[in-house]
Amino acid sequence: FPVTIQILTYIKELGFSIEIPERIKEGKTVTEQIFSNPDDQVDYARKIIEENEGLAIGIISKHSSDLKKFLHLSLERNNVHLISMIKSQSLEFDIVIIADIDKHFENGGDILDTERQIIKRDSLYIALTRAMNELHIIGSISLKEKLG
């Protein structure tokens, strides 16, 4: 299985109905960072990138347009990829940073409770499972507090 037990446990704690296989690799704890200033998200991503030279890093957000502030990070290094949640399907990265998680909840409603939000819920699940070793959630809210 490509992801770690820590990532799958985190996803399950968010309310997704998943089974965690018995033989699965250990990894780092999923990290949530709350930032009120968008520039702080960029600084955090830069730190993760600098600490993990050479590893494939995906910075994922709800919309491609939300990733503009990270563009210079991907231009500086060829191991950093910027992609929307929907377009991240079937891709895998050593490390994933899901940025602006608060934007996933714009336009109201709890994404796990409303039928018309299934696509949003599925795209979030896809983004969460793109990380093979390390997952970071950043934004102005805690995903775990919002959903868990």
Side-chain angles (χ1 to χ4, degrees):
F1 212 75
V3 300
T4 67
I5 192 168
Q6 287 79 4
I7 293 171
L8 288 180
T9 300
Y10 176 83
I11 292 169
K12 191 169 188 163
E13 289 170 354
L14 292 177
F16 288 92
S17 179
I18 61 168
E19 293 297 320
I20 300 175
E22 286 185 30
R23 292 190 175 141
I24 189 167
K25 66 182 177 181
E26 291 285 329
K28 292 186 177 183
T29 302
V30 174
T31 304
E32 282 195 7
Q33 293 291 324
I34 299 172
F35 300 109
S36 56
N37 182 344
D39 291 337
D40 293 339
Q41 290 187 54
V42 175
D43 292 341
Y44 181 82
R46 179 181 295 109
K47 179 181 157 230
I48 298 299
I49 292 164
E50 289 172 355
E51 290 174 355
N52 295 282
E53 189 74 34
L55 295 179
I57 299 173
I59 301 177
I60 302 173
S61 192
K62 181 179 178 187
H63 301 291
S64 297
S65 59
D66 297 331
L67 296 165
K68 288 179 184 175
K69 64 180 165 270
F70 298 99
L71 184 59
H72 67 284
L73 297 176
S74 70
L75 294 174
E76 293 169 2
R77 292 183 161 80
N78 62 4
N79 64 318
V80 178
H81 308 274
L82 307 179
I83 195 157
S84 69
M85 287 183 176
I86 294 289
K87 291 183 180 176
S88 71
Q89 189 168 6
S90 79
L91 299 176
E92 292 178 340
F93 303 98
D94 296 305
I95 299 169
V96 166
I97 301 167
I98 299 179
D100 291 319
I101 193 62
D102 41 290
K103 294 197 176 178
H104 197 73
F105 298 95
E106 289 177 347
N107 301 330
D110 182 305
I111 67 167
L112 294 178
D113 288 339
T114 60
E115 179 93 20
R116 62 192 166 123
Q117 301 294 338
I118 291 173
I119 293 172
K120 282 174 114 178
R121 182 181 186 273
D122 289 349
S123 66
L124 177 59
Y125 178 81
I126 289 166
L128 291 167
T129 58
R130 301 305 89 203
M132 294 186 301
N133 298 309
E134 202 172 315
L135 177 62
H136 300 265
I137 314 293
I138 58 177
S140 64
I141 64 165
S142 164
L143 183 59
K144 202 165 192 178
E145 286 180 18
K146 184 77 175 173
L147 298 181

